[in-house]
Amino acid sequence: MDYLTAANTLRTTKIEQIITESPSVKTFIFKDKQCAKAKPGQFLMLWIPGIDEIPLSIFNATKNGKISVSVKAVGEATQHLHNMKTKETIGIRGPFGNNFTPPTVTQMQANILLIGGGTGTAPLLFLAKTGLATIKPKKLTFIVGARTQNELLFTEHLFKICQEGKLITTTNDGTHGHKGVVTEPLTELLSQEKFDAIYTCGPEIMVKKIFETTQKHKQPLQASLERLMRCGIGLCGSCTIGKYRVCKDGPIFNNTQLDEIKNELGISKLNPNGSKTFTTNT
């Protein structure tokens, strides 16, 4: 059985642990040997019996087969998942997609910036703990944003990781850190420092603004995109953006690829019925 066939085979497993991260976000931990091979940036399809199958970024994957995903309750499927208990059965396919790529710089010399919005912080934390461990970056800066203080995620973990760098928090209402959105401290940072790699994951409109800012300052970016996904293997076309299928060609895209899809990024997307809807007037 080849890798894709194995990844695309539905496996059932049981929820082993549930951690409440914020009023709207929970982390679910379960075992899956196939997803234990996942790299930071990849995603899985999680089947909620009798409800739906949804794509989720992988928050953590350990050698003993334990997998973590962090989920915000935003609709029927995610709300149903939030109501599930330990020992209940879920289905898993994956891991799918490509992964974040560490910069090719001299070991222990890299200056790295990560920018997370909401649950998009989860795969970046996975990257910081695992994917960047081999290069041991000289400096690691993390910008994390949320609407309000009680929605900020994983700040304790982030403080530990950024001991040799800097953690910047932003909230829309100013209840913690900088009042505003993540792109505001980003603009100041990019005018002062040169980064060997910048990674981001979060709402697409946030990714669009970060892309425009990094392009202006001519700094490298790898962004994880979130789109409607049904199959996870590039067949259904529901996650199409420009010439790319996010599930198969992504979900990680670099500056050049983002420039190719800038007329759709954060502006339009496909609905479940295949029609296009516009998300912003910009």
Side-chain angles (χ1 to χ4, degrees):
M1 185 182 295
D2 61 30
Y3 176 82
L4 182 57
T5 301
N8 198 40
T9 301
L10 181 67
R11 292 92 59 189
T12 57
T13 185
K14 293 186 183 298
I15 300 170
E16 292 195 354
Q17 187 179 358
I18 302 173
I19 302 170
T20 298
E21 307 285 3
S22 78
S24 64
V25 176
K26 291 183 179 181
T27 294
F28 296 84
I29 301 172
F30 48 87
K31 283 188 177 180
D32 184 72
K33 290 183 179 179
Q34 189 68 28
C35 282
K37 305 172 185 177
K39 297 179 180 179
Q42 290 189 297
F43 70 96
L44 56 79
M45 300 295 294
L46 188 149
W47 174 57
I48 305 160
I51 305 297
D52 201 356
E53 187 182 42
I54 55 176
L56 296 169
S57 293
I58 296 171
F59 177 21
N60 199 24
T62 64
K63 292 181 180 179
N64 65 2
K66 284 196 175 184
I67 311 301
S68 303
V69 291
S70 291
V71 186
K72 183 174 183 177
V74 293
E76 180 186 9
T78 51
Q79 187 60 64
H80 191 91
L81 180 60
H82 268 232
N83 292 335
M84 293 180 74
K85 309 297 182 184
T86 56
K87 299 185 180 179
E88 289 195 71
T89 299
I90 53 175
I92 301 296
R93 290 191 295 127
F96 297 123
N98 59 1
N99 55 276
F100 291 113
T101 304
T104 54
V105 295
T106 305
Q107 201 171 43
M108 299 185 72
Q109 292 299 311
N111 189 15
I112 307 293
L113 174 61
L114 303 101
I115 313 160
T119 54
T121 307
L124 297 177
L125 185 54
F126 184 21
L127 171 66
K129 293 193 298 184
T130 304
L132 299 176
T134 55
I135 67 167
K136 298 178 181 178
K138 181 179 180 180
K139 184 178 179 183
L140 188 67
T141 302
F142 215 123
I143 306 176
V144 57
R147 293 184 182 277
T148 188
Q149 181 175 1
N150 64 4
E151 290 292 344
L152 281 170
L153 299 174
F154 319 122
T155 50
E156 290 186 11
H157 297 286
L158 296 173
F159 272 119
K160 292 178 182 178
I161 286 175
C162 296
Q163 285 181 349
E164 301 301 322
K166 181 189 296 184
L167 173 63
I168 301 170
T169 60
T170 72
T171 49
N172 292 17
D173 61 4
T175 49
H176 194 284
H178 173 86
K179 182 178 181 179
V181 294
V182 295
T183 49
E184 292 165 5
L186 171 65
T187 300
E188 183 178 350
L189 268 179
L190 295 188
S191 65
Q192 297 172 349
E193 294 186 56
K194 177 68 176 177
F195 292 93
D196 297 294
I198 301 172
Y199 304 94
T200 188
C201 182
E204 196 170 297
I205 187 63
M206 182 196 88
V207 172
K208 174 183 174 64
K209 292 177 180 178
I210 290 171
F211 165 67
E212 292 171 345
T213 305
T214 55
Q215 285 290 89
K216 180 180 178 181
H217 291 271
K218 298 181 180 180
Q219 300 220 31
L221 177 68
Q222 293 181 42
S224 176
L225 299 188
E226 301 173 356
R227 288 241 149 177
L228 176 67
M229 295 182 189
R230 294 297 186 193
C231 68
I233 56 174
L235 294 178
C236 72
S238 62
C239 63
T240 299
I241 181 168
K243 67 179 184 181
Y244 296 112
R245 293 162 293 177
V246 173
C247 69
K248 186 174 177 63
D249 301 312
I252 312 304
F253 293 88
N254 61 29
N255 295 74
T256 301
Q257 294 169 312
L258 293 169
D259 190 56
E260 293 172 333
I261 58 175
K262 63 184 178 182
N263 292 330
E264 291 186 42
L265 184 68
I267 296 173
S268 64
K269 62 181 180 180
L270 296 181
N271 287 321
N273 63 7
S275 64
K276 183 177 287 189
T277 182
F278 291 89
T279 57
T280 177
N281 294 321
T282 59

